[in-house]
Amino acid sequence: MAKHSLNGREGTDLAGSRNLGRYDLNKQVEVQRTLRRHETELQQNVHKLELKEEIPPLDRQTFANSYHTSPEDLSNVALEGPDGRSRSKVARAVLSLFAIVGFELGSPWMAAVHGQTSATPEWNTASFNPARDAWQRNETKINPENAKNLQLLWKAKLEVKTMGMQSFREPLIVSSGGKTLTILAGSSNEIYALDADSGAVVWKKKLAWASEKPEEPGEGSSYICTNALSATPVVTPSGAGERFVYVIASDGYLHTLALGSGEEKDAPLQVLPEPHGKPYGLNLVNNVIYTITGRACGGNPNALYAVNLANKKVTVSQPPQAGLWGVAGATIGADGTIYFESGDGVYDAKSGRLSTSVEAFTFSNDTLTLKDYYTPSNYEWLTKRDLDMDATAVIFPYKSQELMVASGKEGRFVLIDTKSMGGVDHMTPVSRTPLITNTSANLQTEGTWGSHASWLDADGTRWVLAPTGSPVAVKFPITNGKAPNGGVIAMKLEDKGGKLALAPVWQSRNMITAEPPVIANGVVYVLAAGEFTGQANETEGGLFNSEQRIQRSVPAKLFLLDARTGKELYSSGDQVASFLHQAGLSVAGGRVIFGTFDGTIYCYGLK
């Protein structure tokens, strides 16, 4: 029986999974239908469980009667949560039923907090789920003990026209028609579906140009605006009926492809006002796709975009902001609030121009409304030094709170309560760390870029991880050698008398341009991308162009680390031939998949 992982109990067989053999297919279908009828109640119960609130007790017989099962089927329900507290019987029964049928509700809330819980582990959106925590809860094959045995299972060279430094975006790993597919979006609007077991091409699609405006030749004006497809696609969650791959191509249109065949199912829908914009990771919640745009590429306003799939309406936040360029796009909270970080630019809170800030929006009746925001008290200095808040924030629950961690080039991490992001003055978060990296205020290569990661261990400890681009400036209890180029850092949430703060725990080995990490089953996966990230050419003057940065980049390396200590468990050595730019990796079903600039897709796993 495969082991399951939910809410931090990694490597623990959730009670009820041992009873799976009792159920024939008809019984499983019956229970699934029952779960669907009671989806709202189940969501509320699991929500309370995740926030560790007390849930009114309900005896097994009453619950069994309500859900058309028997008390015996609930007899092995896990008695404790990851924090060691006794679970209420309702919560235990809910977990048991999830374990019995391997059922994926496919609901937005479940996706936002837990990610996928289908029988086949998936990775259907950037950073695993709408909360952008990069925590693959369903991995059971690779663990700290066997990670050293990781091997290259296959590699495939795909045709892709690179644009600037971009090639493929973060892969997606999903199930379709009895196969596990990896979906890859290329920089010139090439979409591939590969068999995740072999690397064979199942289907490929070159998206036709949909805009009435002509496609520009070439690769844009710089390494920033390259005319490329820049947003990681999203796939409809499992359990939601017919599934689609949603892609915003470089024409600025949303393309809807059938997951199993790549056939374009709907007419392309214009999302961006102009072609050649720079949107980031698509986030799908409540049948609405969200994305953010940065750099004003193609003349598109930097804004939050909401695409209502039910009525095909596109809503754009107002007023335009400074650059929004967290690679994983916007983050979605448990109540559907949309969050993003903004770069440096004009700051005028009265008019809604909130540069160098974290912003929160609600979406209702095809209207985006500013709900709250947090602005660092030193925002003027950060703006002057071009130390943007440039990453995708991560959200996680803690007791009765929903917390967020945000950061950027400055090298400092901010802990935010989403109910009151910055207090009355919008500048007072729960806590801020001291300057952890980037003591030189380097706007090019240091600080944190991309996105974060977070997980809850079996002891109830909440961890937050992030990539860095320079040595650390504070003491970490565990170090793994000198890291002049940075790597990954891990912090834990500490609660001292109700005062919450992030405390350093470990620093990884040295890595050249660490991509955002992924956590799965006690293992941290991270790519040292090898990308040369310098911008200013101090020898010749001006800025480096894409070609010069490509020439100065080195091959990427895959590392597996112990999630508690940062100790290196595995390195791919010199197996990877090229670098990558803001692409990242995905983990599901014992597979670790990523692509590199030269068009090669790599899949690692255990044989």
Side-chain angles (χ1 to χ4, degrees):
M1 174 58 59
K3 293 184 178 181
H4 298 262
S5 173
L6 180 62
N7 199 20
R9 295 188 62 83
E10 299 190 14
T12 300
D13 189 6
L14 281 178
S17 62
R18 289 168 295 211
N19 294 331
L20 184 59
R22 300 183 189 180
Y23 282 78
D24 60 19
L25 180 59
N26 291 333
K27 183 64 178 282
Q28 292 184 43
V29 171
E30 178 186 345
V31 176
Q32 287 186 3
R33 288 173 178 169
T34 301
L35 283 169
R36 288 185 188 277
R37 289 197 299 271
H38 296 278
E39 177 176 346
T40 300
E41 182 180 348
L42 286 169
Q43 288 182 33
Q44 292 171 347
N45 288 336
V46 177
H47 191 180
K48 292 177 181 178
L49 167 65
E50 182 69 21
L51 295 179
K52 302 178 184 175
E53 296 176 344
E54 292 298 328
I55 303 176
L58 182 67
D59 64 83
R60 293 181 190 275
Q61 183 62 61
T62 303
F63 187 90
N65 291 342
S66 299
Y67 289 95
H68 306 287
T69 183
S70 65
E72 291 75 19
D73 291 329
L74 306 180
S75 60
N76 292 322
V77 180
L79 297 179
E80 294 183 348
D83 58 350
R85 293 172 55 185
S86 177
R87 294 200 191 282
S88 72
K89 291 175 182 176
V90 169
R92 298 175 213 166
V94 171
L95 285 177
S96 180
L97 282 175
F98 284 153
I100 288 171
V101 300
F103 180 73
E104 166 57 40
L105 287 176
S107 68
W109 190 88
M110 288 296 292
V113 177
H114 293 297
Q116 297 75 36
T117 56
S118 60
T120 302
E122 295 196 342
W123 189 284
N124 78 314
T125 186
S127 291
F128 183 69
N129 59 12
R132 298 319 200 208
D133 64 20
W135 175 20
Q136 170 57 274
R137 292 151 172 80
N138 307 313
E139 176 57 43
T140 59
K141 296 182 180 179
I142 304 170
N143 57 52
E145 287 68 41
N146 63 23
K148 63 180 180 294
N149 300 320
L150 203 72
Q151 298 182 50
L152 178 62
L153 300 181
W154 55 261
K155 61 181 180 179
K157 190 68 174 288
L158 303 181
E159 294 182 7
V160 60
K161 182 181 183 298
T162 58
M163 303 289 283
M165 301 186 75
Q166 296 193 28
S167 179
F168 285 104
R169 309 315 299 150
E170 177 183 324
L172 305 178
I173 305 174
V174 292
S175 301
S176 177
K179 289 186 176 181
T180 300
L181 304 179
T182 181
I183 306 297
L184 295 135
S187 53
S188 295
N189 304 320
E190 308 94 340
I191 312 298
Y192 285 87
L194 306 185
D195 186 324
D197 288 329
S198 66
V201 175
V202 176
W203 57 260
K204 61 181 179 179
K205 178 81 172 181
K206 173 71 172 179
L207 299 177
W209 189 261
S211 175
E212 294 179 353
K213 298 177 181 179
E215 184 174 7
E216 291 183 5
E219 301 178 14
S221 56
S222 70
Y223 63 85
I224 295 174
C225 296
T226 62
N227 295 347
L229 183 157
S230 57
T232 299
V234 65
V235 173
T236 313
S238 60
E242 190 174 5
R243 305 183 71 186
F244 301 102
V245 182
Y246 295 103
V247 186
I248 293 182
S250 59
D251 56 10
Y253 281 65
L254 179 72
H255 296 254
T256 302
L257 311 180
L259 176 58
S261 66
E263 178 186 357
E264 197 145 3
K265 302 297 289 187
D266 291 329
L269 177 65
Q270 184 175 4
V271 176
L272 305 185
E274 304 289 338
H276 306 304
K278 199 164 188 177
Y280 291 96
L282 306 188
N283 206 334
L284 172 58
V285 172
N286 280 330
N287 211 30
V288 179
I289 291 176
Y290 300 96
T291 189
I292 54 175
T293 53
R295 307 292 196 175
C297 292
N300 290 286
N302 299 323
L304 169 66
Y305 293 75
V307 184
N308 188 331
L309 297 176
N311 59 21
K312 309 301 183 184
K313 289 185 178 180
V314 177
T315 305
V316 185
S317 64
Q318 297 292 336
Q321 302 291 337
L324 315 178
W325 43 292
V327 171
T331 307
I332 313 294
D335 64 356
T337 301
I338 311 107
Y339 302 89
F340 56 84
E341 298 184 21
S342 59
D344 52 40
V346 175
Y347 187 89
D348 180 8
K350 290 183 179 180
S351 66
R353 302 289 295 276
L354 298 167
S355 66
T356 315
S357 298
V358 184
E359 303 180 41
F361 277 76
T362 59
F363 180 72
S364 179
N365 298 320
D366 294 311
T367 301
L368 285 165
T369 304
L370 179 67
K371 176 183 178 181
D372 199 358
Y373 64 93
Y374 161 76
T375 301
S377 57
N378 62 339
Y379 75 91
E380 291 180 329
W381 183 83
L382 294 176
T383 297
K384 183 178 180 180
R385 297 302 299 264
D386 193 13
L387 296 175
D388 311 55
M389 298 196 74
D390 60 358
T392 295
V394 60
I395 283 178
F396 52 86
Y398 178 73
K399 295 184 177 178
S400 61
Q401 296 171 277
E402 183 179 69
L403 299 178
M404 173 194 301
V405 173
S407 71
K409 295 183 192 177
E410 184 189 15
R412 192 187 306 271
F413 296 83
V414 185
L415 184 64
I416 296 170
D417 185 337
T418 61
K419 295 296 184 185
S420 178
M421 295 176 63
V424 175
D425 63 357
H426 296 284
M427 293 186 180
T428 308
V430 173
S431 63
R432 290 202 307 167
T433 68
L435 197 64
I436 289 182
T437 65
N438 198 8
T439 55
S440 62
N442 183 328
L443 64 87
Q444 304 176 70
T445 60
E446 302 186 27
T448 291
W449 301 62
S451 59
H452 308 78
S454 179
W455 69 295
L456 188 72
D457 71 18
D459 298 326
T461 300
R462 170 60 63 176
W463 296 77
V464 175
L465 286 74
T468 65
S470 64
V472 295
V474 300
K475 180 176 176 56
F476 276 71
I478 302 174
T479 59
N480 292 276
K482 294 182 178 180
N485 302 108
V488 172
I489 60 169
M491 300 169 285
K492 65 179 179 181
L493 182 65
E494 289 190 340
D495 186 342
K496 296 182 177 180
K499 294 183 178 180
L500 302 178
L502 294 172
V505 179
W506 58 257
Q507 167 205 336
S508 76
R509 58 155 292 157
N510 187 55
M511 299 181 189
I512 297 178
T513 314
E515 288 290 306
V518 168
I519 305 103
N521 204 27
V523 177
V524 173
Y525 301 77
V526 60
L527 282 168
E531 177 191 358
F532 176 78
T533 58
Q535 297 179 26
N537 188 334
E538 298 177 359
T539 302
E540 301 175 8
L543 298 176
F544 288 111
N545 59 35
S546 295
E547 184 178 351
Q548 291 169 324
R549 291 179 64 172
I550 291 168
Q551 292 172 349
R552 288 166 171 78
S553 296
V554 298
K557 291 184 179 180
L558 170 66
F559 293 101
L560 273 61
L561 313 175
D562 187 297
R564 293 176 180 270
T565 66
K567 177 183 177 182
E568 181 181 321
L569 304 174
Y570 172 83
S571 168
S572 63
D574 59 0
Q575 293 180 337
V576 180
S578 185
F579 74 98
L580 57 119
H581 171 71
Q582 296 183 346
L585 57 82
S586 303
V587 177
R591 305 173 184 88
V592 186
I593 301 177
F594 60 92
T596 54
F597 179 76
D598 65 356
T600 303
I601 310 303
Y602 294 83
C603 178
Y604 284 80
L606 301 174
K607 290 187 178 179

